[in-house]
Amino acid sequence: MRFNLTLCVAVILLSLFTQASHGAERTLTILNWSEYLDPDLVLRFEQEYQVKISEIYYGSDEQRSDLLLQNNADGYDLILSSGVDLQSYINRGWIAKLETDKLLFLEQLSPKWRSAFPGAVEYAIPYFWGTVGIVYRHDVIKEPITHWKQLYSPAPDLKGKLGMIDEPRDLIGMGLKSLGYSANSEVSLQLNEVEEVLQSQKAMVNSYIYMTLDEHSPIVTGEILASMIYNGDALMVKEHSENLTFVLPEEGGAIWVDYLTIGAKAKEPDLAYAFLNFINQAEHAAQLAQYVYYATPNLAAEKLLPDEFLNDKVIYPDADSLKNSEFYKPLSARSQRKRNIISINVLP
């Protein structure tokens, strides 16, 4: 999970999915969130290996899966996946089992994040972890936001001033938590209840498109006053306004882990392994963490991070803040269909 998570329309150049001609520049193709790699590190890798990195962006977990479905994951060397989708991608044959003898940094990785999801140890390298919470303009909203209900059943003066995420897993999951239920609930009556909440909230929402994180962000300009957001993105947009506060609600949020995986049909698997080794060098992993404002699972990198970064509870929430938070879990086909119907009914 996320990363700047600005919704992007993936632009796929035909040349990336054809065999390179003899002597042509090699290209490493990465399916990724936008702005989830430090451009300086990308440039250094390109120069060191005399290759080109091409990133294909998606704007949601669903969009990533749709892109992979289009050509059965052909042509992607590295695929950034959420932890909850790993097992599905393994089952579909989209990602390859790791050749651990080619990876030079495994002992540096936190066992907690390496094994947080089924299949992760054998198929994936943890990239970053974080939370889903709320960012709001504390200069305008005088009563501190501490509960999801304040976003899902907001005060009348917030009409047209809310930002939400069109990712069904987050939209419905955090809606369930606002009602005191588990984000992974499969109880039909509870899902019906959250659909009613989302339908009622709809008139209050300015946009379900993930906000931009630059100086033109709607929460900087005041077009939006409160929004669901990923924790690191809240800090990124805060670079442009000191009037922002991020909160992990008392009911807890979602804990996500993003993983880098090798595409089963990768054209450049050796380059993919080289890139994983490169970005997991301690100094590079530390630089990358500070670029995206997310917690790194690389323990060697953590030793190089400044205390200010490590002590920031937005990036590294303490145990008390996380006690009510949850990892998303794979759902039954029936429950997933129910959630898909809710999304279709609610989202514009």
Side-chain angles (χ1 to χ4, degrees), residues 247-261:
V247 60
L248 194 58
E250 291 182 14
E251 303 88 349
I255 307 172
W256 52 262
V257 188
D258 280 337
Y259 291 86
L260 280 167
T261 67

Side-chain angles (χ1 to χ4, degrees), residues 28 40-51 53 271-272 274-276 278-279:
L28 178 70
D40 177 62
L41 289 175
V42 168
L43 180 60
R44 288 166 65 182
F45 181 82
E46 289 177 329
Q47 292 173 341
E48 184 173 332
Y49 286 85
Q50 293 299 294
V51 298
I53 289 179
L271 272 183
F275 187 75
L276 290 175
F278 179 83
I279 63 169

Side-chain angles (χ1 to χ4, degrees), residues 151-206:
L151 193 68
Y152 281 87
S153 300
D157 57 354
L158 289 179
K159 185 174 183 178
K161 296 291 186 178
L162 299 185
M164 298 298 291
I165 297 177
D166 64 352
E167 175 64 62
R169 194 174 280 140
D170 293 320
L171 186 68
I172 296 170
M174 297 305 98
L176 285 163
K177 291 195 79 65
S178 77
L179 296 168
Y181 305 134
S182 167
N184 296 298
S185 174
E186 299 194 46
V187 179
S188 185
L189 288 176
Q190 294 179 2
L191 291 170
N192 289 340
E193 192 175 346
V194 81
E195 182 174 7
E196 291 179 6
V197 169
L198 289 170
Q199 290 288 5
S200 177
Q201 182 206 36
K202 196 170 182 178
M204 309 291 285
V205 176
N206 177 287

Side-chain angles (χ1 to χ4, degrees), residues 2 68 103-104 119 126 139 154 164 168 174 195 206 214 228 246 255 292 313 317 329:
R2 283 88 161 19
L68 292 168
L103 299 169
L104 309 178
D139 59 323
M164 298 298 291
M174 297 305 98
E195 182 174 7
N206 177 287
D214 57 18
M228 178 184 288
F246 174 83
I255 307 172
V292 297
K313 289 188 177 181
K329 299 176 181 178

Side-chain angles (χ1 to χ4, degrees), residues 5 8 13 27 46 51 53 59 95 108 119 153 176 196 199 222 243 274 277-278 302 325:
L5 303 176
C8 299
L13 300 177
T27 299
E46 289 177 329
V51 298
I53 289 179
I95 58 179
Q108 299 173 190
S153 300
L176 285 163
E196 291 179 6
Q199 290 288 5
N243 294 318
N277 285 321
F278 179 83
E302 282 190 341
S325 296

